[in-house]
Amino acid sequence: MAGVLEEDWGALHALGTSEVVDNTFIGQHDGGDTPLPNYTEPDIIVHEVDEGQPCLNCGERCSGFTQHKWRNTCSVCKCLRERHDIYNENFVNIRDRLGWKRNDDPSAQVSKDRTLREGYTWIPPGLSSDQIEEYMEQLPNHKIPLVGRPGERYRDVQIIRQLPKQDLSMEYCKMIHSSVEKKEYDIFRELRDSIAMDIGIVQEAPSLSSCDQCKGEIESTDLAVYAPKLGVEMCWHPACFVCCQCEELLVDLVYCSHTKKLFCERHYAEQIRPRCPACDELIFSGEYTKAMDENYHKDHLACHNCDKKLVACRYIVKDENPHCIPCYQELYAHNCEECKKPIGPDYKDLSYKDRHWHEFCFKCCECQNSLVDQPFAPKNDNIYCSDCHDKNFAARCDGCGEPFRGGMKKFEYKGKQWHEECFVCMVCKQPIRNKSFIPRDNDAVCVPCYEEQFAQKCSKCNGVINKGGVAYKNQPWHRECFTCTKCNKELAKEKFTSKDDQPYCADCYGELFAKKCCRCSKAITGLDGFGGTKFISFEDRHWHSDCFVCYKCNNSMVGKGFLMNEGDILCPECGRN
């Protein structure tokens, strides 16, 4: 038996120095000290509850979310913050979260009482109750923000995900320190709020239109979503108003336009600024590190387990997270089955059925030859090369005594087994392979040899009798060959007798050899077997017992006295008359 050899190298990355990337903001600003005109920090309202919330991945293994000092992860289970059951504590008005004043557009406001009265946690402004129902019916069921239903939780998650608080206010940023970084942050936020970000409008389509997402028709008076930043000529079905990157419904219709496409704020911001995957903040510093196709703050490329900085260090990626070599060996490296030492990242890890070996330890336990790229077989917790396994454990041929090796055909009969070339006819010694054979004692005979040497042959045609023969006087016959000597009628299952060792049917025998009844002129052969018929003989004349009657009164004369009158039999009374 040959096993399957698997290799698990891990993902080993050797870094020299970090790649320094220029991080100049893409926008209409020269980066100088000139203050931004008429722009102040907005008052955003965020009431997210995360501390102590259970992990959706780890369950009871995590005692509850505890914020890492700089990562966007839990310091207990190391899962991402968003993988915990985080929620917004109060009713969320999206303008409050964005820091937009409510009195700038009264028509775009919906009160909390009206929203909850309709049975939802959010409704589009400016619609009647019937129109609200029409709008919601077009959304996927699990995304409709009904109070107490899965859609309520979906909206909560998307608010936190699509509108990250650290993108909305510097108050929630831990990695902005210098005045230059603060200024770049303000430039980004001002240009985003004034140029790109807005809230969609739901209204009846004035004429036949086409959805910009699915290209399907939107008929006149159907509800459609419009994005003022992209002009009145573009509109979407309610279920098609999604971020072009994450493809999620744009929460509460908040969108950002970029290159004439719709983005949620998170993915819009990543078009403008790199985002550090470790802390989930946008990078506004002058330098940052590129690694694993991601952009990191200079000090955030660190071991996922011990936080050791990995810039200019070797590290291994496991589950999409970098690990320093010692942590990787402690957490993930397997111990070698042979030498019992950890299989470090500098060595190949050869595995078979949850067992692991160094490349140089993976060898036959008997001959010590390497099994790398070689067939092998396990036996009693040991591994053997194919030759040693066959020598010690493989079944052997009853013909030549050699073992059966992998890929060989095995022929079995009466508890014995042979190689294909060893299973031969006992007469001609040729391999039988998949041809028919006839068992003879403990041997096998091919059909031609059996017919030639051992099969019975018909006494008439000398052909081999394969089935359904007839035996007569210790001689075998084909059924179709055992026939009447005169008329060739088949005699199998028919009454017959013989004359001079030749078989005859009853009719031919009676015609050729049997005595004739003087009364009926028929042959006297008997009805239930030749030689068993009673008949009457007198002066070389013969009668059936039933035919031996008075020729006048037809009374039977068997066992009675009778008279002869010119060859006729008469009873005494008829004779006297």
Side-chain angles (χ1 to χ4, degrees):
M1 180 176 68
V4 179
L5 184 62
E6 301 173 353
E7 295 184 15
D8 180 10
W9 287 69
L12 180 62
H13 294 260
L15 294 182
T17 57
S18 62
E19 180 183 353
V20 179
V21 182
D22 181 21
N23 196 22
T24 304
F25 181 69
I26 304 171
Q28 302 293 323
H29 184 62
D30 60 5
D33 295 329
T34 305
L36 293 172
N38 301 322
Y39 189 79
T40 58
E41 173 82 10
D43 295 325
I44 75 168
I45 299 176
V46 175
H47 294 293
E48 294 177 1
V49 177
D50 55 11
E51 195 68 24
Q53 288 302 107
C55 179
L56 302 177
N57 285 343
C58 303
E60 295 181 356
R61 289 178 295 165
C62 176
S63 58
F65 181 78
T66 303
Q67 181 70 57
H68 186 275
K69 57 185 177 182
W70 55 265
R71 289 185 187 275
N72 186 42
T73 58
C74 174
S75 60
V76 178
C77 66
K78 301 188 185 303
C79 291
L80 290 172
R81 177 176 182 266
E82 64 187 43
R83 293 308 303 154
H84 293 72
D85 191 20
I86 303 170
Y87 64 94
N88 292 292
E89 187 174 22
N90 298 318
F91 180 86
V92 178
N93 183 296
I94 208 65
R95 289 177 171 268
D96 291 342
R97 186 177 181 92
L98 298 176
W100 292 3
K101 295 179 180 179
R102 296 195 182 192
N103 58 7
D104 58 358
D105 187 1
S107 65
Q109 307 303 315
V110 182
S111 69
K112 174 182 176 181
D113 291 342
R114 166 80 193 285
T115 303
L116 296 178
R117 191 165 59 249
E118 295 288 348
Y120 300 96
T121 59
W122 168 83
I123 57 176
L127 300 184
S128 66
S129 296
D130 290 341
Q131 288 175 321
I132 291 171
E133 290 300 314
E134 179 184 349
Y135 173 85
M136 296 298 181
E137 286 176 356
Q138 298 185 54
L139 304 182
N141 286 339
H142 66 288
K143 296 182 179 182
I144 300 174
L146 282 165
V147 175
R149 302 299 294 274
E152 178 180 5
R153 172 62 182 162
Y154 172 80
R155 174 178 176 256
D156 229 23
V157 170
Q158 293 306 314
I159 289 175
I160 297 170
R161 175 69 177 165
Q162 294 185 26
L163 301 173
K165 58 185 179 180
Q166 64 271 21
D167 287 14
L168 303 177
S169 174
M170 198 182 301
E171 175 187 352
Y172 300 101
C173 296
K174 300 177 182 178
M175 298 309 300
I176 296 179
H177 305 297
S178 69
S179 60
V180 173
E181 290 173 347
K182 292 177 181 179
K183 190 171 294 185
E184 291 292 336
Y185 182 92
D186 286 340
I187 294 171
F188 160 77
R189 191 177 52 201
E190 188 227 0
L191 292 178
R192 178 199 63 199
D193 291 356
S194 62
I195 296 174
M197 184 182 283
D198 201 356
I199 299 177
I201 299 171
V202 180
Q203 61 186 30
E204 292 183 351
S207 59
L208 180 65
S209 306
S210 174
C211 175
D212 193 67
Q213 171 72 8
C214 70
K215 310 306 178 186
E217 288 186 352
I218 299 177
E219 296 183 359
S220 174
T221 72
D222 282 353
L223 288 181
V225 184
Y226 291 82
K229 295 287 186 183
L230 292 174
V232 296
E233 68 279 1
M234 298 177 67
C235 60
W236 293 262
H237 292 114
C240 293
F241 197 64
V242 298
C243 171
C244 68
Q245 186 162 330
C246 64
E247 297 183 345
E248 294 290 352
L249 288 177
L250 289 163
V251 64
D252 293 10
L253 305 180
V254 176
Y255 71 93
C256 290
S257 63
H258 183 67
T259 62
K260 294 188 176 182
K261 294 180 180 178
L262 294 176
F263 290 87
C264 65
E265 193 286 330
R266 168 178 288 276
H267 293 119
Y268 164 79
E270 292 170 6
Q271 305 298 311
I272 309 303
R273 284 286 183 177
R275 187 184 297 277
C276 176
C279 66
D280 202 36
E281 290 187 28
L282 299 174
I283 301 174
F284 293 95
S285 59
E287 294 180 353
Y288 58 92
T289 299
K290 291 186 69 72
M292 302 176 294
D293 296 325
E294 299 275 10
N295 302 301
Y296 290 81
H297 286 106
K298 190 167 56 175
D299 294 335
H300 285 183
L301 181 61
C303 174
H304 186 68
N305 185 57
C306 69
D307 289 341
K308 174 186 175 182
K309 292 180 175 58
L310 297 176
V311 175
C313 295
R314 296 170 65 215
Y315 63 89
I316 300 175
V317 176
K318 181 68 175 178
D319 298 330
E320 300 182 358
N321 294 307
H323 294 76
C324 65
I325 303 303
C327 285
Y328 177 83
Q329 292 194 167
E330 178 184 351
L331 297 174
Y332 303 110
H334 300 104
N335 288 330
C336 176
E337 290 281 336
E338 181 66 20
C339 68
K340 309 305 180 184
K341 296 179 180 179
I343 304 173
D346 293 327
Y347 301 101
K348 284 185 178 180
D349 182 341
L350 306 184
S351 64
Y352 173 71
K353 286 188 175 179
D354 298 327
R355 302 171 68 194
H356 299 263
W357 293 264
H358 289 105
E359 182 180 18
F360 48 81
C361 292
F362 192 63
K363 53 191 176 182
C364 174
C365 68
E366 183 162 317
C367 68
Q368 300 301 306
N369 288 333
S370 174
L371 296 178
V372 177
D373 297 326
Q374 299 296 321
F376 68 93
K379 188 71 176 181
N380 300 330
D381 292 330
N382 293 316
I383 52 173
Y384 296 83
C385 65
S386 57
D387 290 338
C388 289
H389 180 272
D390 291 344
K391 181 179 69 175
N392 291 307
F393 307 109
R396 295 183 177 272
C397 174
D398 286 308
C400 67
E402 292 297 316
F404 291 95
R405 303 185 186 278
M408 287 184 172
K409 289 184 178 180
K410 182 191 294 185
F411 289 80
E412 296 183 354
Y413 175 65
K414 284 191 174 181
K416 293 185 177 182
Q417 50 195 2
W418 295 267
H419 292 115
E420 182 178 18
E421 63 275 10
C422 296
F423 187 58
V424 298
C425 170
M426 63 174 288
V427 177
C428 66
K429 306 301 181 183
Q430 295 299 310
I432 294 176
R433 294 188 171 89
N434 293 323
K435 296 182 292 186
S436 299
F437 67 91
I438 311 296
R440 189 167 180 82
D441 298 328
N442 290 325
D443 295 312
V445 184
C446 66
V447 173
C449 289
Y450 181 84
E451 292 180 349
E452 179 67 26
Q453 299 282 340
F454 307 108
Q456 287 186 328
K457 297 183 180 179
C458 178
S459 299
K460 182 175 182 180
C461 70
N462 204 37
V464 174
I465 299 175
N466 292 317
K467 61 179 181 178
V470 175
Y472 177 63
K473 290 191 175 181
N474 295 323
Q475 295 294 320
W477 309 66
H478 289 117
R479 292 173 62 91
E480 60 273 16
C481 292
F482 188 61
T483 60
C484 173
T485 305
K486 182 183 179 186
C487 69
N488 286 325
K489 177 183 178 181
E490 289 189 18
L491 298 179
K493 296 185 179 181
E494 297 288 340
K495 294 178 181 179
F496 70 93
T497 190
S498 64
K499 179 70 174 179
D500 300 328
D501 293 330
Q502 297 296 320
Y504 292 88
C505 65
D507 293 339
C508 290
Y509 180 85
E511 179 183 345
L512 296 174
F513 307 111
K515 297 176 175 61
K516 302 295 190 295
C517 179
C518 295
R519 180 69 186 268
C520 67
S521 301
K522 294 181 180 179
I524 302 174
T525 59
L527 298 177
D528 41 298
F530 295 110
T533 300
K534 292 182 180 180
F535 62 96
I536 309 299
S537 295
F538 180 72
E539 295 181 353
D540 297 327
R541 300 180 69 191
H542 309 282
W543 294 263
H544 291 108
S545 294
D546 293 339
C547 292
F548 192 63
V549 296
C550 175
Y551 280 33
K552 287 192 175 183
C553 67
N554 286 326
N555 288 328
S556 174
M557 294 290 101
V558 177
K560 298 179 181 180
F562 61 90
L563 300 175
M564 295 293 295
N565 181 26
E566 297 179 358
D568 295 336
I569 299 172
L570 298 173
C571 63
E573 184 176 350
C574 291
R576 286 192 297 270
N577 294 330

